[in-house]
Amino acid sequence: MKVLVINGSPRGDRGATAGVLKPFIEGMESAGANVELVNIQKLKINPCRGCFDCWWKTPGACIQNDDMKEMLPKLADSDLTVYATPVYVDGMTGPMKTFMDRSIPLLEGKWELRDNHCRHPLREGTKAGKIALVSVSGFTERDNFDPLVVHMKAAALNMKREFVGAVLRPCAWIIPVAEERGASFDDVIDALRDAGKQLVGQGKMEEDTLNTISRELVPRQQIFERFG
Ligand SMILES: Cc1cc2nc3c(=O)[nH]c(=O)nc-3n(C[C@H](O)[C@H](O)[C@H](O)COP(=O)(O)O)c2cc1C
């Protein structure tokens, strides 16, 4: 199984998203997946210009000459795409949204009805694969991810891909801070590894595993004592 992981954090390898992705990717690889991790912040990807040339003039190809040229074939060929992004103002980061907008050359311009909803067909050669979300937030509550999850589910339908679940880690930034003070979150890290393994091995992630990943790390009151 080919897995493409897109890290949409502007902080790249230094970020909390990367910290969560590491064991998750290890788990996917241990189940036999061929995983490629791409950090968006290393790429040059301009915003979509909305010209629709990728549909009508140069079908399947964007007129912009940037790193999306290399990314489109990888996206088209992935059995599973993992969109990993921190929550930014209740959604995905700007670079991640730009990346998703720039993936429309993989759709055709013509319309079709799917489940009585207007859609665009997938361009020939694009796999109807799966999509998973990995996200971290600054705040502690799990509902910080609600708008993003709704968006990703809708985007999966839009791109004719199956949404197979969300790995959500609220308040992820506190992991290294608390570890420095002696705390251990081995169960969370193990659950991230398990989730990756389950997703590749079984096609879905178990609820208990996802709940362990999202569990409270430090009582909210303690965080308020420091930052309130
Ligand atoms: C511009 C900006 C907007 C943010 N908006 C939210 C938000 O709406 N809700 C939230 O819980 N955290 C928010 N955060 C916090 C990030 O989600 C958090 O710091 C996360 O750990 C960053 O991940 P990274 O280190 O991988 O970049 C925001 C951070 C930034 C920089």
Side-chain angles (χ1 to χ4, degrees):
M1 178 195 270
K2 281 192 185 172
V3 180
L4 180 63
V5 180
I6 310 292
N7 182 352
S9 165
R11 299 178 68 222
D13 289 334
R14 296 175 299 118
T17 309
V20 162
L21 278 177
K22 190 172 175 290
F24 185 67
I25 290 174
E26 284 168 7
M28 290 196 289
E29 286 176 335
S30 75
N34 175 0
V35 183
E36 179 173 3
L37 168 65
V38 175
N39 280 310
I40 279 184
Q41 113 283 358
K42 290 188 180 158
L43 304 181
K44 180 173 162 27
I45 299 179
N46 299 315
C48 173
R49 294 183 188 169
C51 63
F52 291 113
D53 281 4
C54 62
W55 283 359
W56 310 120
K57 279 195 185 162
T58 53
C62 179
I63 55 161
Q64 301 198 60
N65 194 10
D66 62 15
D67 290 331
M68 207 59 199
K69 267 203 163 66
E70 269 180 44
M71 292 309 300
L72 281 176
K74 290 178 198 274
L75 260 180
D77 197 35
S78 70
D79 300 294
L80 167 67
T81 307
V82 177
Y83 291 92
T85 175
V87 174
Y88 267 25
V89 195
D90 294 301
M92 65 184 73
T93 60
M96 182 63 100
K97 183 62 169 56
T98 294
F99 180 87
M100 292 185 86
D101 292 348
R102 290 289 306 282
S103 67
I104 69 156
L106 301 183
L107 301 174
E108 287 184 32
K110 64 185 178 196
W111 289 28
E112 66 180 9
L113 274 183
R114 292 204 301 269
D115 297 326
N116 203 28
H117 195 297
C118 299
R119 303 285 180 197
H120 296 289
L122 276 188
R123 192 169 297 285
E124 208 185 317
T126 300
K127 286 182 184 168
K130 297 175 176 179
I131 282 184
L133 169 69
V134 171
S135 188
V136 301
S137 69
F139 292 144
T140 53
E141 304 80 15
R142 199 162 154 161
D143 69 5
N144 286 292
F145 299 102
D146 288 355
L148 178 59
V149 172
V150 168
H151 190 169
M152 287 304 300
K153 284 182 178 172
L157 284 173
N158 198 325
M159 295 187 275
K160 207 173 183 178
R161 291 196 157 219
E162 182 192 354
F163 184 79
V164 287
V167 171
L168 307 173
R169 181 52 262 170
C171 202
W173 57 271
I174 212 155
I175 292 179
V177 177
E179 277 177 342
E180 261 187 28
R181 294 173 189 185
S184 165
F185 304 116
D186 287 352
D187 61 324
V188 175
I189 306 301
D190 287 347
L192 282 162
R193 237 175 249 121
D194 289 346
K197 202 171 172 179
Q198 290 162 10
L199 187 53
V200 169
Q202 305 162 25
K204 58 185 171 61
M205 298 173 282
E206 289 167 17
E207 210 172 317
D208 281 358
T209 308
L210 295 176
N211 286 337
T212 303
I213 291 169
S214 298
R215 79 162 171 84
E216 183 183 75
L217 299 175
V218 172
R220 196 163 58 172
Q221 185 53 33
Q222 279 184 25
I223 300 174
F224 269 85
E225 281 161 16
R226 170 73 179 79
F227 294 104

